[in-house]
Amino acid sequence: MSSTNKTDTSDNQPLDKSLEKSNKTNEFGTQPLAKLLSKQAIPASIGILVMAIYGIVDTIFVGHWVGKYAIGAITVVMPIQFLMSSVGMAIGVGGSSIISRAFGEGKQEKANHTFANMVSLTVAFALLFYIGGSLYMEEILLLFGTAGNITAPATAYFDILLYGVPFLTIAMMTNSVIRAEGYPKISMIVLIIPAVINVVLDPILIVYFDMGIEGAAWATTVSFIACALYTIVFFFSTRSKLNFKAKQMIWKAKIIQEIGSIGSITLVRQGAISILAIVLNNSLVEYGGDIALSVYGIVNRIAMFAFFPILGVTQGFLPIVGFNYGAKLFQRVSDIISLSIKWATIMAFIIFVLIMIFTEYIVMIFTADTSLIEGATFAMRWIFAATPLVAINMLMSGYYQAVGKVMPALFLSLSKQIIFLVPLVLILPLFWGLDGIWYSFVFADVFTALVSYYFYRVVKQKIADNLAKRSLTQA
């Protein structure tokens, strides 16, 4: 039996026995890691899966009942939506890292004060995004590649979606905290709510009421509002261990700085995706026209679905690492890294095989347009060609973020999208045209995996050194 299933060594004992009785999160330092990772990762995976299904269903309805250019419109708006919501996600991940370590150290008041600052910070940014998006809508859409036949549906979609963005920002922040508190199933429900509402409302609004792209936008907006309200109800319930006074919502420089430094990793990662989207969308239009945007829109939706188990493992991995690192249980930290990479890589390989076998059939779910089917089939095979290598980058970036190491996490987060993919998207089409854009993804995944493996070796060596020093001290 591997060391991941042992709980009787000194490294695997909680630091404070009294904490175990009162703090649910202490199971992060005591339960067998395989069981714990399953408990955290499965609900996260289900939540991400349901959200991905919503994205697929949304695209299917738009593709069949609105038109191929509407798929391109959603493709343009999606990274803008992600960029805005990523601020809430960044605040949530940054603050949750502090909260997880505070729980590991038994510092409840620090956790409460951190959450209070997270709430006020998120609300401020949510309002700012709504105002900014409303005032500069045309300029934002142009920047992200809106052109030709895509302009009108993209504007109509984004105009309505802006009403839901502040609520999405709040939901993304609070969901990270819910997971840090040790409620993976509640976190899963948070992700499921908008997906279910969207799947229900899409056929009603798009097909029955014939609202077209506006119907898709309203379905998404209503789902964001419902999601945020559910998380708010959770924190007013007795299940949450976090509570704070109004005066704690006044920003404290030290807390805001730490939230910002750790959360900036998520923000930069999402920002990098948006920068990539700007470069990619404009390159797609230049080398392939409006139809190329719709091709990538289909492939991108499939990617959101395909990677759900890897993302789920990564989400489940974060609070486990954060707690055990804070509690100085370094053997458990080492074991959870190895276990998570093993699980995620196996899943990535299975995804790769399935996509390579059923590529064309998957694309045909979204559209009956021959040109879209042909283009998306070719693009998808190249974009997913190095899928088995993606897991190590996600997990190593997550590790550094969970333990509060900003610079390596930031570098790993930027490595694929900014350091490798953006330059490749600009250079390779000069030689191979539109096909060069699809080839760029393969090279970027390979280079990123090599860099991430180097960091993995460094982390494992440092943990081994810490354990060796502890053994000498105890001797």
Side-chain angles (χ1 to χ4, degrees), residues 196-216:
V196 171
I197 292 176
N198 233 297
V199 169
V200 171
L201 290 181
D202 269 343
I204 295 173
L205 299 181
I206 296 174
V207 182
Y208 184 78
F209 286 105
D210 195 24
M211 293 175 65
I213 195 72
E214 290 88 352

Side-chain angles (χ1 to χ4, degrees), residues 445-465:
D445 282 335
V446 172
F447 295 153
T448 302
L450 291 172
V451 171
S452 300
Y453 181 74
Y454 168 78
F455 277 87
Y456 166 76
R457 300 289 297 178
V458 169
V459 167
K460 295 289 281 188
Q461 186 59 52
K462 286 184 177 180
I463 292 174
D465 292 343

Side-chain angles (χ1 to χ4, degrees), residues 162-278:
L162 274 174
Y163 294 114
V165 166
F167 294 94
L168 177 62
T169 305
I170 293 169
M172 291 298 98
M173 182 277 285
T174 50
N175 194 38
S176 294
V177 180
I178 290 170
R179 191 178 297 109
E181 285 206 63
Y183 290 98
K185 291 182 181 179
I186 299 296
S187 177
M188 174 188 71
I189 293 172
V190 172
L191 297 178
I192 289 175
I193 286 174
V196 171
I197 292 176
N198 233 297
V199 169
V200 171
L201 290 181
D202 269 343
I204 295 173
L205 299 181
I206 296 174
V207 182
Y208 184 78
F209 286 105
D210 195 24
M211 293 175 65
I213 195 72
E214 290 88 352
W218 276 117
T220 302
T221 295
V222 171
S223 71
F224 290 162
I225 294 171
C227 182
L229 291 177
Y230 179 82
T231 64
I232 291 170
V233 169
F234 170 82
F235 286 106
F236 277 102
S237 73
T238 56
R239 286 177 293 184
S240 175
K241 297 177 288 294
L242 293 165
N243 57 80
F244 58 86
K245 300 175 183 177
K247 64 180 182 180
Q248 291 178 314
M249 296 181 70
I250 299 173
W251 296 342
K252 185 176 180 181
K254 186 176 180 180
I255 292 176
I256 295 297
Q257 182 180 7
E258 190 170 2
I259 291 174
S261 63
I262 299 170
S264 64
I265 302 160
T266 295
L267 185 59
V268 169
R269 182 189 297 123
Q270 297 301 319
I273 293 173
S274 297
I275 292 171
L276 172 63
I278 293 171

Side-chain angles (χ1 to χ4, degrees), residues 359-431:
T359 313
E360 186 173 352
Y361 298 102
I362 294 170
V363 174
M364 290 172 65
I365 295 172
F366 295 87
T367 181
D369 187 277
T370 305
S371 59
L372 265 182
I373 293 172
E374 183 180 348
T377 299
F378 179 84
M380 189 161 72
R381 285 192 171 128
W382 279 103
I383 288 175
F384 283 90
T387 295
L389 303 177
V390 302
I392 190 169
N393 178 252
M394 291 185 187
L395 287 162
M396 290 315 302
S397 177
Y399 165 80
Y400 281 110
Q401 194 165 3
V403 302
K405 304 294 184 181
V406 176
M407 294 311 296
L410 188 59
F411 176 77
L412 288 170
S413 296
L414 290 174
S415 58
K416 178 178 178 177
Q417 283 85 3
I418 298 299
I419 297 174
F420 297 124
L421 192 51
V422 167
L424 288 167
V425 166
L426 292 172
I427 295 170
L428 295 191
L430 297 175
F431 301 96

